[in-house]
Amino acid sequence: CINSAAAALVGGPYCGAEWTTKTGVGSGQFWIKGYATSTITSGGKIALLVAGYNAQDTTNAATYLKTQAVDTDKTYLGTSSTSAALVTTTA
């Protein structure tokens, strides 16, 4: 479902409904999220997770990342290669 680097970032090798529960990413969606601290980063570098619910969604995420301005300190939830919303949390 996801590779070991992505699994390390999100806390496990989630698939399908488990992936949606953990990330909020469902069918037809993708996620772009920067991780400042993780088990796979060091030296102040970040890991950037670019993942979709399925292969086409991941392709859309990669295209979005290449063609749109993305702040790697933020999280984005997208639905196409040109459409994504900034994910915000409320206190």
Side-chain angles (χ1 to χ4, degrees), residues 10-21:
V10 299
Y14 304 111
C15 298
E18 286 184 315
W19 168 258
T20 300
T21 298

Side-chain angles (χ1 to χ4, degrees), residues 13 31 42 57 68 72 79 84:
W31 205 30
S42 63
D57 299 328
Q68 306 296 318
T72 57
T79 56

